[in-house]
Amino acid sequence: MKVNILKFITAGSVDDGKSTLIGRLLFDSKAVSHDILHTLERQSKNKPDGELDLSLLTDGLRAEREQGITIDVAYKYFNTPRRKFIIADAPGHVQYTRNMVTGASNADLAIILIDARHGVVEQTHRHSLVASLVGIPHIVAAVNKMDLVDYDEEVFYRIAADYQKLAQKLGLQEITFIPMSALAGDNVVTLSEKMPWYTGKTLLEHLETVELSETNEEVAPRFQVQYVIRPRTEELHDYRGYAGALRSGNFRKGDRVVVLPAGIESTIKAIEVNQQEVEEAFAPQPVVLHLADDIDISRGDTIVRLDSAQPAVTQDLDLDVCWMSERPLYPGDRLLVRHNSATVKAIVKEIYHRVDVHTFEQQEAEQLKLNDIATIRLRTAKPLVFDSYKQNRSTGGLILVNDNTFDTVGAGMLHEVPVTETLQQDFAI
Amino acid sequence: MGIESQNHELTGTLYVLSPLTSHLSPLTSLTTHYSLYMSKNFDYLDHLEAQAIHILREVAGQFERPALLFSGGKDSITLVKLAEKAFRPGKFPFPLVHIDTGHNFPEVLEYRDRLAAQLGERLIVRKVEDTIRRQGLKDGSGKFPSRNALQTNTLLETIEEFEFDACIGGARRDEEKARAKERIFSIRDEFGAWDPKRQRPELWDIYNGSIRKGENVRVFPISNWTELDVWNYIRREKIELPNIYFSHARDCVVTPGGQLIAITEHIRLDPEDITANREVRFRTVGDATCTAAVESPATTVEDIIQEIIETKISERGATRLDDRLSEAAMEDRKKNGYF
């Protein structure tokens, strides 16, 4: 049977039982190694009931937090016969937005923890906004600590209805509600006997079976050059291969393509995967492409199929950003933009507005501070080739880099280019 | 509104909600592409491989003088395989660099030289012994003199000598808690130090390798692989390994803690030592003086995979620890000293 990978994040604070939930998943799926288990048993002995304290499995994180060390995302792994799981675990303190955006950028699914006693709270708004912003395909609203509300189904449905309203506001689509107690193990790995009214799957079963649109192939075919392979040996004198990953869609030998931003057309002469020629390749396969014509192509250039929807090619970018630096961002600031394998200089033209992460209200802003979410306009030194983030997660995201320290200071999700601007550009050409 | 009618409302919501607990029906799914069959067979090892190749090519594209740190262990051998997939038929855009502790198993050195020759790639070897002499350092001493810590000095010297701006290593996040938090592109200052506070957020598959003068980057392309993933990949790709990974008879010192240390010229044998000839294999290939062997009958990659899987099963409900296995885990941790 084919085993694939599900990457997910857990959003919630220690108080929501996040550590216990992760501990429960790791423990019940036997991902805990001997030495850690030993420590766990020893430490849990001090507890009156002698039960294992599963939150200790993520204790390393807590200890560091107490020492005041900034940590953002820790990765944990476990697997079942059906799937390999990668958990991006971001600690849920105040400075959470930046960390969650980081973890969420690669996630297929987000578990949003809601304490059954408190229901949908401010923090739930923030977590859901980030999930919506970063476009996580699947959401699990995990109503935890059901044991503390007597496993009452009304409590669960009331919270689920509240959350549904919130999700509608944000346009979150696929939400699965699960009542659970991570501490007691209800509905995490085994179905709860205490909640017979719940007829859905356990969390683990859901994680194992949720359908992934895993290869990103239903979106338009895009390829970006990472590295040019030129052996320059006697027998391979004319070999010139463009190495990179197919970012989305698929390519076939003989496809008519256009190289952007230059706009030069050509034909795919050959595709190599794993040092062998193939007829067809699909995202996210790493490939080497060969074109029929001798064109000057270098790292960062994009190749798209001519018969597909064409990407935007522009220097004026509107984008949602999450600002990740202690140093604020002001209009007029200069930055570097890394858009996959392309790097360009950019200047901040305008901050349209920032979004209140709790009320979702748009507010005017003269600067962006750490953890702010906002919509801005950038002007780049060279045109970028992209799709809107909503259409294509693998060509619509970029990072902002400080041009002096080279630290990563922001995450950007590109908007569609307004039709009026596309027209203007066409006239300009 | 009374409680009664509220209840009705809630029941109403129930029906709206229940379809949400199941996932998208095939009708709404968009995957009706002709390459569907092919892509559906793209499994987790393909995903891990694709990510690693992507990272290696980013290194080639972003840095001027990268290097691949090669220890002769299974993780760095896997990296070499991935580099072939990323850059052939071209040459590797980096040399292989071995930081030689001088406490090697001869089988590993033989394997190293043979592999480099087969690949036709450049191999740079720098010896800890030379660093000790040059810098007047104190060599490891005692019964099992370790040069694990001293390796770092040689590595830094080598980085300086060749002005490497990126060093690719085979460390994995499942090895240790601290590693679980390290980035795939990990920025180091002039002293090779890792500053957790200055870690760059890593978003999507965009890797920021921009550095200032004097800084360098450690790159870990197989960060998201587990030990089992590596072995499954070795099986799938039929990768040859140094034979000390497989079961063989070996003379060992049995330490009071029950560890098995191979008898080599690098350790000190005392009259009171208990020695034994055992069927052993090594889980990691490190400094011969402090890399313990584990007793195992596993002679093939298949056997080893089975052993790893069974180890997990035996953990189920275990109340007592199996000493031998916990030692193996400790060895895994020691190995991290390298990076």
Side-chain angles (χ1 to χ4, degrees), chain A residues 2-5 30-35 37-38 41 57 60-61 64 70-75 77 84 86 98 101-102 105-106 154 157-158 160-161 164 174-177 201 209-211 214-215 217-218 226-227 229 231 236 239 243-245 247 250 252 274-275 280 282 284-288 299 305 324 338 340-341 389 397-399 401 404-408 411-413, chain B residues 7 10 13-14 16-17 20-24 29-31 33-36 38-44 47-50 53-54 57-58 60-62 84-91 93 173-174 177 180-181 183 196-212 223-226 228-229 237 311-312 314-316 318-322 325-326 329 333:
Chain A
K2 195 191 92 163
V3 178
N4 55 17
I5 302 179
K30 326 293 172 211
V32 183
S33 71
H34 263 103
D35 49 342
L37 191 62
H38 185 57
E41 283 172 342
L57 286 175
L61 294 172
E64 282 172 54
T70 313
I71 32 152
D72 36 22
V73 188
Y75 296 89
Y77 305 85
K84 174 184 166 83
I86 303 179
R98 149 193 155 136
V101 168
T102 303
S105 70
N106 282 313
E154 270 183 35
Y157 286 120
R158 193 165 58 234
Q164 189 78 322
E174 214 226 276
I175 302 154
T176 303
F177 295 90
K201 292 174 175 169
T209 53
V210 65
E211 198 174 304
E214 43 194 286
T215 58
E217 64 177 317
E218 63 269 29
Q226 286 186 277
Y227 183 73
I229 297 179
L236 293 167
Y239 185 101
R247 302 208 61 87
N250 58 0
R252 302 196 107 184
N274 206 355
Q275 301 168 69
E280 182 191 15
F282 53 86
Q285 277 185 316
V287 300
V288 181
R299 177 176 158 82
R305 236 167 53 195
M324 299 176 158
R338 266 189 191 273
N340 302 321
S341 300
Y389 187 77
L398 55 77
I399 61 169
V401 176
N404 175 38
T405 63
F406 298 123
D407 287 334
T408 302
M413 283 127 298
Chain B
N7 273 344
L10 289 169
T13 319
L14 191 155
V16 180
L17 289 173
L20 293 168
T21 56
S22 67
H23 30 85
L24 282 176
S29 145
L30 290 162
T31 48
H33 228 277
Y34 55 93
S35 62
L36 185 67
M38 271 162 56
S39 59
K40 285 286 171 197
N41 286 322
F42 202 73
D43 77 355
Y44 81 103
H47 273 284
L48 292 174
E49 180 188 70
I53 291 173
H54 177 78
R57 286 172 172 172
E58 277 307 294
Q62 291 193 31
E84 285 188 78
K85 293 195 177 211
F87 304 112
R88 290 292 185 243
K91 286 200 90 86
R173 283 175 179 151
D174 77 325
K177 270 185 181 176
K181 286 157 219 153
R183 295 290 166 271
K197 287 182 196 168
R198 263 205 65 202
Q199 287 216 93
R200 295 170 177 176
E202 222 154 57
L203 294 123
W204 299 289
D205 54 357
I206 305 176
Y207 300 100
N208 176 7
S210 300
I211 46 172
R212 291 185 286 190
S223 283
N224 284 330
W225 301 39
T226 61
L228 189 59
D229 295 335
E237 300 293 321
T311 302
K312 286 211 179 263
S314 76
E315 281 173 12
R316 193 174 299 188
T319 50
R320 279 182 155 255
L321 283 173
D322 179 331
L325 289 171
S326 70
R333 282 199 298 277

Side-chain angles (χ1 to χ4, degrees), chain A residues 261 313-317 333-339 342-349 377-385 398 403:
Chain A
V313 184
T314 174
Q315 289 172 261
D316 296 299
L317 319 171
D333 279 1
R334 282 163 198 282
L335 295 159
L336 293 174
V337 164
R338 266 189 191 273
H339 176 241
T343 307
V344 292
K345 286 181 185 168
I347 184 162
V348 181
K349 299 303 270 189
R377 163 155 288 210
L378 292 178
R379 168 90 183 165
T380 54
K382 287 181 196 157
L384 233 56
V385 180
L398 55 77
D403 65 354

Side-chain angles (χ1 to χ4, degrees), chain B residues 323-335:
Chain B
D323 288 336
R324 181 172 60 81
L325 289 171
S326 70
E327 278 158 24
M330 190 161 70
E331 282 311 312
D332 276 355
R333 282 199 298 277
K334 280 185 180 166
K335 195 181 61 172

Side-chain angles (χ1 to χ4, degrees), chain B residues 49-77:
Chain B
E49 180 188 70
Q51 186 191 28
I53 291 173
H54 177 78
I55 292 160
L56 287 171
R57 286 172 172 172
E58 277 307 294
V59 173
Q62 291 193 31
F63 298 95
E64 283 169 37
R65 284 174 303 278
L68 190 152
L69 301 179
F70 184 81
S71 67
K74 65 179 190 312
D75 298 319
S76 57
I77 291 169

Side-chain angles (χ1 to χ4, degrees), chain A residues 13 59 106-108 129 256 279 328 335 407:
Chain A
S13 67
D59 213 35
N106 282 313
D108 306 302
L129 174 68
R256 289 290 293 162
E279 285 298 308
L335 295 159
D407 287 334

